[in-house]
Amino acid sequence: MNKPSHFIDLSLLKSHPAFRAVFIARFISIVALGMLAVAVPVQIQQMTASSWLVGLGVTVAACGMFIGLLTGGVLADRYERKKLILFARSTCGLGFVGLAINAALPQPSLMAVYLLGLWDGFFGAIGVTALLAATPALVGRENLMQAGALTMLTVRFGSILSPAIAGMVIASGGVVWNFALAAAGTLLTVLTLLKLPPLPLPAQPRENPLKSLAVGVQFLFSTPLVGMAALIGALVTLASAIRVLYPALAPHWEVSADRLGLMFAAVPLGAAVGALTSGRLAHASRPGLLILSSAIAAFVALGLFGLMPSFPLALLCLVAFGYFSSITSLVQYTLIQALTPDALLGRINSLWTAQNVTGDALGAVMIGAMGSWLLPPQAATMFGFAAAVLGVLMWFLMGRLRRYQPPAVTLAEDAS
């Protein structure tokens, strides 16, 4: 028998046309949303010259995304997922069109920017949740690790490309063209996703949406493996907010503004390397052990980051943090998807993604506060090693996750 390769397996894109359509649509969507994330703050800054109002616009969009994630989780478990995906993406595209029209006016409306940002955050999150819930049906649960790695690549490369594209478009044509291209990209995703097969739901009771969401929360607490994996993921998400210290850390290594971007690129680079070399992760005999060990390694890399005497060594620590974080996320994604019944996939994916959004925001507040109380290198080091200590504590407390061995064929049968 041939040994599995260390590198990512791309065969899923050839053997599963529906997943290939999702892969292409997700990449285009990530680029479009990334362009939006640049254009909206730029437009608000141009209109108001107020950093506070720029921050408010970002917060409003994030609130829309959070509400959309929770709403989308319930909807994805209640309605046919293909129709929901197409509806959400089409509606999101209308928001981009509205932003382009507003930006083209002689006096654009700031309120319209806020409301349309809320609109796009809400409906964009619904589409993301429905796509996540549909993935097991499109690729089979035995291919979830491979699908997760390919998805991570689209997110990382799309996140790297979109700011550069947005900057060039804004410099040459202004924010109007940025919004217009985002709308055109959304249209392309809708046309691509029309190729998806019907995605019918398993029979389940019709219940109050809040009760339906509560059932998803109850599943997390009553299914130890899923709950523990989600808890570790929350801690990794908190740590990823270390980027709020980058501007304050730059003088520590005498880094100029043109090199500051290297710190922001280092973690995504490490994550991309993790995804590209994830070929053997699906064959791990103890996925829970891998989640715990890679999370602890990521936290140690973060603690060492603030201790590095030179900028290149600090960048290497950030790359290592991104690499180990991606391993944790990939195995966590596969475990949660595989152990969640199809009828709950929408809600569990929405809760998991909402946890990431909330964790990143909380982490930014915590690390930012530490950076104001301590010197920035001290704050990064203390936070990283404190997270490592918590990771070691989880190692000892989560014995069931650490010892878990999935069946030879699929994880799906062990959902308790």
Side-chain angles (χ1 to χ4, degrees):
M1 182 181 294
N2 294 330
K3 284 187 176 181
S5 171
H6 286 282
F7 294 98
I8 189 171
D9 184 359
L10 301 177
S11 62
L12 205 62
L13 296 175
K14 181 179 180 181
S15 59
H16 292 70
F19 179 73
R20 183 170 64 246
V22 170
F23 178 86
I24 295 170
R26 188 186 295 276
F27 179 75
I28 297 173
S29 179
I30 290 295
V31 172
L33 289 172
M35 293 174 66
L36 179 71
V38 173
V40 168
V42 167
Q43 184 183 24
I44 296 175
Q45 181 68 32
Q46 291 173 346
M47 293 172 63
T48 67
S50 169
S51 297
W52 183 82
L53 291 177
V54 171
L56 180 60
V58 174
T59 302
V60 167
C63 289
M65 180 177 292
F66 182 82
I67 298 170
L69 287 170
L70 297 183
T71 304
V74 175
L75 295 177
D77 288 337
R78 183 169 291 195
Y79 297 101
E80 203 273 336
R81 287 167 182 163
K82 177 183 178 180
K83 293 179 180 178
L84 182 61
I85 292 168
L86 293 173
F87 168 76
R89 294 305 305 148
S90 301
T91 310
C92 193
L94 292 176
F96 293 148
V97 172
L99 284 167
I101 293 173
N102 181 63
L105 296 175
Q107 292 185 329
S109 166
L110 180 62
M111 183 59 66
V113 176
Y114 285 150
L115 291 177
L116 289 169
L118 180 70
W119 174 284
D120 283 326
F122 178 79
F123 287 105
I126 290 177
V128 166
T129 304
L131 275 172
L132 285 172
T135 301
L138 295 175
V139 302
R141 292 181 183 250
E142 70 278 6
N143 293 316
L144 282 173
M145 179 70 72
Q146 187 182 348
L150 289 167
T151 298
M152 180 176 285
L153 277 181
T154 64
V155 172
R156 294 303 178 183
F157 286 129
S159 299
I160 292 170
L161 285 175
S162 56
I165 295 173
M168 291 188 293
V169 172
I170 291 173
S172 60
V175 294
V176 176
W177 280 105
N178 203 302
F179 293 136
L181 287 175
T186 303
L187 175 60
L188 285 177
T189 66
V190 172
L191 295 176
T192 303
L193 291 171
L194 286 172
K195 300 177 182 178
L196 291 181
L199 298 167
L201 298 176
Q204 56 183 310
R206 292 282 179 169
E207 54 193 357
N208 182 280
L210 293 178
K211 183 180 178 181
S212 181
L213 188 61
V215 170
V217 175
Q218 183 181 9
F219 176 80
L220 284 177
F221 285 98
S222 62
T223 312
L225 290 174
V226 175
M228 287 185 282
L231 184 60
I232 297 166
L235 187 57
V236 172
T237 302
L238 282 173
S240 67
I242 192 67
R243 65 185 182 281
V244 302
L245 290 179
Y246 292 168
L249 281 165
H252 175 68
W253 291 295
E254 299 180 353
V255 174
S256 58
D258 61 334
R259 297 175 65 201
L260 180 61
L262 294 176
M263 281 196 278
F264 285 94
V267 173
L269 174 61
V273 172
L276 284 169
T277 58
S278 63
R280 300 187 69 175
L281 292 182
H283 304 275
S285 59
R286 292 189 177 180
L289 180 67
L290 190 55
I291 290 174
L292 287 161
S293 58
S294 57
I296 293 172
F299 300 144
V300 171
L302 199 59
L304 293 173
F305 164 63
L307 296 176
M308 290 297 103
S310 67
F311 185 59
L313 289 176
L315 289 179
L316 187 61
C317 287
L318 289 178
V319 171
F321 172 74
Y323 173 82
F324 288 113
S325 295
S326 72
I327 301 301
T328 302
S329 298
L330 279 172
V331 183
Q332 177 202 23
Y333 164 81
T334 305
L335 197 68
I336 291 176
Q337 295 288 97
L339 296 178
T340 301
D342 189 59
L344 286 168
L345 276 172
R347 280 162 285 180
I348 297 305
N349 276 297
S350 74
L351 290 169
W352 177 41
T353 312
Q355 164 207 279
N356 291 339
V357 173
T358 307
D360 187 66
L362 290 176
V365 172
M366 291 172 57
I367 296 175
M370 291 178 67
S372 64
W373 298 331
L374 305 168
L375 292 175
Q378 294 173 340
T381 299
M382 182 175 292
F383 187 88
F385 286 129
V389 170
L390 283 176
V392 172
L393 183 61
M394 289 180 178
W395 173 286
F396 288 106
L397 293 178
M398 296 180 177
R400 181 171 181 178
L401 178 65
R402 193 176 67 249
R403 295 187 296 269
Y404 173 67
Q405 293 181 282
V409 177
T410 177
L411 298 170
E413 296 173 2
D414 188 354
S416 60

